[in-house]
């Protein structure tokens, strides 16, 4: 099945509720090629990659590798590595940067505290353009290379963002996919004009919901519920809405979304895989894909 045919299958598939889940991101610069499992299949010491994955497990921290678009400099591996730490919870989000000569230094981080939103002064506050992290891991999925790399290169040439390539963030079939920091909103079927629009909005304290997959801090039903309330109310402030733990109603999730002004909404999100079979990635066999469908949004007293 060709890449173009695969993409056409997913053109109408809803994007809401498909973002990778992470409360805090740890992004390590690693130039050079990446394998399908990049943390243990790149020029990074695989023992270190496995140790970082183990340290992050269950803490809410997600570790990914990043690199600048284009060919790496000949001495790139000998330079200090850029590291970004980003916490994405509304009202408490932050983005910090540091450089390390030896990535093993990262094992000294307190991963549970990072997941809880405490950086303990690690690194320095980041004050640059929004980070646009485009998935380009072609060894994991060829669509990410065929569609993601040209987008990353175009953004690096002048997109009003700090453009990076990133390893797996899920949703290959929605390529090009990207993560925007500091707030952690993910986007699919992206283009350079869309990313520039998103970056401009972020600098102005606004969220663009077009092509948005969700905010990584929430689980998939929470992502869909938050975006549904934004669509209903027109709310653009990234810190205005929080998702509260809900229960289940049969096969559906009951999610409560709260506004900082006190308003609340009860959102019902159906989780089903009864649509047409779709490939999870380019070249994969079609199979049922779980999707989040908001069926009701009800204001609460």
């Amino acid at each position: 099945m060709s890449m173009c045919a695969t993409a056409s299958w997913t053109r109408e598939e809803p994007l809401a509720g498909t973002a990778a889940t992470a409360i805090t991101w740890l992004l390590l610069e690693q130039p050079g090629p990446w394998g399908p499992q990049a943390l243990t299949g790149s020029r990074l010491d695989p023992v270190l990659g496995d140790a970082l994955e183990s340290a992050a497990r269950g803490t809410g921290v997600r570790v990914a590798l990043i690199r600048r678009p284009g060919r790496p400099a000949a001495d790139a591996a000998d330079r200090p590595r850029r590291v970004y730490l980003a916490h994405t919870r509304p009202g408490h989000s932050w983005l910090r940067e540091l450089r390390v000569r030896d990535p093993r230094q990262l094992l000294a981080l307190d991963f549970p505290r990072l997941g809880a939103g405490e950086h303990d002064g690690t690194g320095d506050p980041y004050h640059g353009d929004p980070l646009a992290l485009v998935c380009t891991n072609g060894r994991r999925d060829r669509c990410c290379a065929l569609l993601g790399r040209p987008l990353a290169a175009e953004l690096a040439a002048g997109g009003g963002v700090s453009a990076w390539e990133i390893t797996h963030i899920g949703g290959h079939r929605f390529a090009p996919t990207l993560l925007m920091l500091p707030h952690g909103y993910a986007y699919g079927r992206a283009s350079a004009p869309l990313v520039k629009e998103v970056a401009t909005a972020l600098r102005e304290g606004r969220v663009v919901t077009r092509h948005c997959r969700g905010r990584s801090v929430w689980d998939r039903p929470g992502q869909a519920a938050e975006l549904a309330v934004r669509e209903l109310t027109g709310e653009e402030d990234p810190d205005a809405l929080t998702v509260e733990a809900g229960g289940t109603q049969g096969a559906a999730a009951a999610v409560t979304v709260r506004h900082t002004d006190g308003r609340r909404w009860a959102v019902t999100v159906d989780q089903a895989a009864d649509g047409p079979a779709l490939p999870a990635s380019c070249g994969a066999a079609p199979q049922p894909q779980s999707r989040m469908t908001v069926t009701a949004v009800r204001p609460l007293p």
Side-chain angles (χ1 to χ4, degrees), residues 250-280:
V255 180
T256 300
V257 178
R258 180 185 293 273
H259 196 287
T260 51
D261 65 11
R263 286 179 292 165
R264 295 186 305 149
W265 295 265
V267 184
T268 303
V269 184
D270 282 342
Q271 307 175 67
D274 55 0
L278 298 169

Tab-separated table of all heavy atoms in Angstrom, residues 250-280:
chain	number	residue	atom	x	y	z
A	250	GLY	N	-20.882	2.683	31.073
A	250	GLY	CA	-20.834	1.612	30.093
A	250	GLY	C	-19.502	1.652	29.371
A	250	GLY	O	-18.448	1.598	29.983
A	251	ALA	N	-19.568	1.787	28.039
A	251	ALA	CA	-18.343	1.849	27.245
A	251	ALA	C	-17.818	3.266	27.113
A	251	ALA	O	-16.790	3.494	26.476
A	251	ALA	CB	-18.595	1.264	25.859
A	252	ALA	N	-18.505	4.242	27.703
A	252	ALA	CA	-18.129	5.641	27.568
A	252	ALA	C	-17.432	6.138	28.827
A	252	ALA	O	-17.636	5.616	29.926
A	252	ALA	CB	-19.365	6.495	27.283
A	253	ALA	N	-16.612	7.167	28.644
A	253	ALA	CA	-15.949	7.819	29.767
A	253	ALA	C	-16.703	9.087	30.127
A	253	ALA	O	-17.133	9.835	29.239
A	253	ALA	CB	-14.507	8.159	29.406
A	254	ALA	N	-16.906	9.313	31.414
A	254	ALA	CA	-17.536	10.537	31.910
A	254	ALA	C	-16.429	11.439	32.424
A	254	ALA	O	-15.751	11.120	33.402
A	254	ALA	CB	-18.532	10.216	33.008
A	255	VAL	N	-16.221	12.571	31.768
A	255	VAL	CA	-15.116	13.469	32.070
A	255	VAL	C	-15.675	14.815	32.510
A	255	VAL	O	-16.635	15.321	31.917
A	255	VAL	CB	-14.206	13.670	30.842
A	255	VAL	CG1	-13.049	14.601	31.172
A	255	VAL	CG2	-13.690	12.331	30.325
A	256	THR	N	-15.116	15.403	33.564
A	256	THR	CA	-15.493	16.742	33.999
A	256	THR	C	-14.387	17.715	33.607
A	256	THR	O	-13.218	17.485	33.921
A	256	THR	CB	-15.713	16.803	35.513
A	256	THR	OG1	-16.768	15.903	35.870
A	256	THR	CG2	-16.090	18.215	35.953
A	257	VAL	N	-14.753	18.775	32.920
A	257	VAL	CA	-13.818	19.823	32.533
A	257	VAL	C	-14.167	21.074	33.334
A	257	VAL	O	-15.325	21.499	33.364
A	257	VAL	CB	-13.882	20.110	31.021
A	257	VAL	CG1	-12.933	21.247	30.651
A	257	VAL	CG2	-13.538	18.848	30.231
A	258	ARG	N	-13.164	21.663	33.982
A	258	ARG	CA	-13.391	22.820	34.845
A	258	ARG	C	-12.659	24.040	34.295
A	258	ARG	O	-11.510	23.951	33.857
A	258	ARG	CB	-12.902	22.543	36.270
A	258	ARG	CG	-13.106	23.714	37.245
A	258	ARG	CD	-12.484	23.412	38.600
A	258	ARG	NE	-13.179	22.335	39.277
A	258	ARG	CZ	-14.259	22.518	40.054
A	258	ARG	NH1	-14.739	23.748	40.237
A	258	ARG	NH2	-14.819	21.497	40.645
A	259	HIS	N	-13.347	25.183	34.330
A	259	HIS	CA	-12.759	26.460	33.937
A	259	HIS	C	-12.248	27.173	35.178
A	259	HIS	O	-12.778	26.987	36.278
A	259	HIS	CB	-13.819	27.317	33.232
A	259	HIS	CG	-13.271	28.467	32.450
A	259	HIS	ND1	-12.762	29.606	33.043
A	259	HIS	CD2	-13.161	28.663	31.106
A	259	HIS	CE1	-12.359	30.443	32.106
A	259	HIS	NE2	-12.583	29.903	30.919
A	260	THR	N	-11.225	28.008	35.016
A	260	THR	CA	-10.703	28.750	36.159
A	260	THR	C	-11.725	29.726	36.732
A	260	THR	O	-11.589	30.152	37.889
A	260	THR	CB	-9.436	29.527	35.764
A	260	THR	OG1	-9.699	30.287	34.578
A	260	THR	CG2	-8.272	28.580	35.506
A	261	ASP	N	-12.764	30.075	35.967
A	261	ASP	CA	-13.795	30.979	36.492
A	261	ASP	C	-14.883	30.236	37.255
A	261	ASP	O	-15.850	30.847	37.717
A	261	ASP	CB	-14.401	31.822	35.363
A	261	ASP	CG	-15.174	30.994	34.332
A	261	ASP	OD1	-15.437	29.792	34.576
A	261	ASP	OD2	-15.505	31.551	33.261
A	262	GLY	N	-14.748	28.919	37.403
A	262	GLY	CA	-15.701	28.143	38.184
A	262	GLY	C	-16.682	27.333	37.363
A	262	GLY	O	-17.341	26.434	37.898
A	263	ARG	N	-16.831	27.620	36.089
A	263	ARG	CA	-17.742	26.835	35.259
A	263	ARG	C	-17.229	25.410	35.106
A	263	ARG	O	-16.020	25.164	35.113
A	263	ARG	CB	-17.893	27.473	33.879
A	263	ARG	CG	-18.732	28.734	33.844
A	263	ARG	CD	-18.800	29.303	32.435
A	263	ARG	NE	-17.487	29.805	31.999
A	263	ARG	CZ	-17.182	30.086	30.737
A	263	ARG	NH1	-18.067	29.858	29.775
A	263	ARG	NH2	-15.987	30.561	30.438
A	264	ARG	N	-18.189	24.476	34.966
A	264	ARG	CA	-17.829	23.069	34.770
A	264	ARG	C	-18.732	22.462	33.715
A	264	ARG	O	-19.880	22.874	33.533
A	264	ARG	CB	-17.972	22.278	36.071
A	264	ARG	CG	-17.017	22.691	37.183
A	264	ARG	CD	-17.148	21.752	38.373
A	264	ARG	NE	-18.529	21.683	38.835
A	264	ARG	CZ	-19.103	20.607	39.403
A	264	ARG	NH1	-18.393	19.501	39.563
A	264	ARG	NH2	-20.344	20.638	39.814
A	265	TRP	N	-18.206	21.445	33.023
A	265	TRP	CA	-18.978	20.720	32.021
A	265	TRP	C	-18.777	19.221	32.231
A	265	TRP	O	-17.669	18.763	32.535
A	265	TRP	CB	-18.504	21.068	30.606
A	265	TRP	CG	-18.731	22.490	30.211
A	265	TRP	CD1	-19.788	23.017	29.521
A	265	TRP	CD2	-17.863	23.604	30.493
A	265	TRP	NE1	-19.624	24.375	29.351
A	265	TRP	CE2	-18.465	24.762	29.938
A	265	TRP	CE3	-16.640	23.733	31.168
A	265	TRP	CZ2	-17.875	26.016	30.026
A	265	TRP	CZ3	-16.054	24.980	31.263
A	265	TRP	CH2	-16.676	26.108	30.700
A	266	ALA	N	-19.859	18.477	32.074
A	266	ALA	CA	-19.783	17.019	32.057
A	266	ALA	C	-19.722	16.584	30.596
A	266	ALA	O	-20.616	16.898	29.805
A	266	ALA	CB	-21.009	16.413	32.734
A	267	VAL	N	-18.665	15.882	30.244
A	267	VAL	CA	-18.439	15.485	28.854
A	267	VAL	C	-18.450	13.965	28.764
A	267	VAL	O	-17.759	13.283	29.535
A	267	VAL	CB	-17.096	16.036	28.338
A	267	VAL	CG1	-16.921	15.706	26.856
A	267	VAL	CG2	-17.004	17.545	28.562
A	268	THR	N	-19.244	13.448	27.856
A	268	THR	CA	-19.295	12.004	27.629
A	268	THR	C	-18.476	11.681	26.386
A	268	THR	O	-18.696	12.261	25.319
A	268	THR	CB	-20.740	11.524	27.417
A	268	THR	OG1	-21.526	11.893	28.560
A	268	THR	CG2	-20.787	10.019	27.246
A	269	VAL	N	-17.517	10.775	26.546
A	269	VAL	CA	-16.614	10.410	25.454
A	269	VAL	C	-16.729	8.918	25.193
A	269	VAL	O	-16.395	8.101	26.064
A	269	VAL	CB	-15.152	10.770	25.790
A	269	VAL	CG1	-14.249	10.464	24.592
A	269	VAL	CG2	-15.028	12.234	26.193
A	270	ASP	N	-17.233	8.575	24.017
A	270	ASP	CA	-17.307	7.176	23.618
A	270	ASP	C	-15.937	6.715	23.130
A	270	ASP	O	-15.287	7.400	22.334
A	270	ASP	CB	-18.329	6.980	22.501
A	270	ASP	CG	-19.757	6.969	23.025
A	270	ASP	OD1	-19.939	6.776	24.239
A	270	ASP	OD2	-20.680	7.166	22.225
A	271	GLN	N	-15.523	5.566	23.615
A	271	GLN	CA	-14.268	4.964	23.170
A	271	GLN	C	-14.611	3.700	22.397
A	271	GLN	O	-15.050	2.719	22.978
A	271	GLN	CB	-13.387	4.631	24.371
A	271	GLN	CG	-13.158	5.817	25.296
A	271	GLN	CD	-12.395	5.429	26.545
A	271	GLN	OE1	-11.217	5.075	26.479
A	271	GLN	NE2	-13.050	5.474	27.694
A	272	ALA	N	-14.436	3.759	21.092
A	272	ALA	CA	-14.868	2.648	20.255
A	272	ALA	C	-13.838	2.372	19.171
A	272	ALA	O	-13.025	3.225	18.821
A	272	ALA	CB	-16.219	2.952	19.621
A	273	ALA	N	-13.878	1.167	18.656
A	273	ALA	CA	-13.029	0.769	17.540
A	273	ALA	C	-13.885	0.079	16.493
A	273	ALA	O	-13.493	-0.928	15.904
A	273	ALA	CB	-11.912	-0.141	18.019
A	274	ASP	N	-15.097	0.628	16.283
A	274	ASP	CA	-16.037	-0.026	15.380
A	274	ASP	C	-16.121	0.658	14.020
A	274	ASP	O	-17.015	0.388	13.238
A	274	ASP	CB	-17.434	-0.069	16.017
A	274	ASP	CG	-17.926	1.311	16.443
A	274	ASP	OD1	-17.182	2.303	16.249
A	274	ASP	OD2	-19.049	1.399	16.976
A	275	GLY	N	-15.177	1.572	13.746
A	275	GLY	CA	-15.155	2.218	12.437
A	275	GLY	C	-14.430	1.359	11.423
A	275	GLY	O	-14.102	0.190	11.667
A	276	PRO	N	-14.154	1.915	10.251
A	276	PRO	CA	-13.437	1.149	9.230
A	276	PRO	C	-12.028	0.818	9.692
A	276	PRO	O	-11.394	1.580	10.435
A	276	PRO	CB	-13.414	2.099	8.032
A	276	PRO	CG	-13.608	3.462	8.609
A	276	PRO	CD	-14.494	3.279	9.794
A	277	ALA	N	-11.532	-0.344	9.288
A	277	ALA	CA	-10.172	-0.741	9.635
A	277	ALA	C	-9.190	0.195	8.950
A	277	ALA	O	-9.333	0.512	7.764
A	277	ALA	CB	-9.919	-2.180	9.212
A	278	LEU	N	-8.200	0.650	9.720
A	278	LEU	CA	-7.208	1.594	9.211
A	278	LEU	C	-5.817	1.128	9.620
A	278	LEU	O	-5.649	0.528	10.678
A	278	LEU	CB	-7.455	2.998	9.779
A	278	LEU	CG	-8.785	3.665	9.448
A	278	LEU	CD1	-8.968	4.906	10.311
A	278	LEU	CD2	-8.835	4.042	7.976
A	279	PRO	N	-4.807	1.410	8.808
A	279	PRO	CA	-3.435	1.068	9.221
A	279	PRO	C	-2.954	2.011	10.308
A	279	PRO	O	-3.155	3.218	10.230
A	279	PRO	CB	-2.628	1.236	7.926
A	279	PRO	CG	-3.397	2.240	7.133
A	279	PRO	CD	-4.852	2.030	7.474
A	280	ALA	N	-2.319	1.469	11.330
A	280	ALA	CA	-1.788	2.314	12.395
A	280	ALA	C	-0.584	3.104	11.925
A	280	ALA	O	-0.243	4.136	12.499
A	280	ALA	CB	-1.411	1.462	13.599
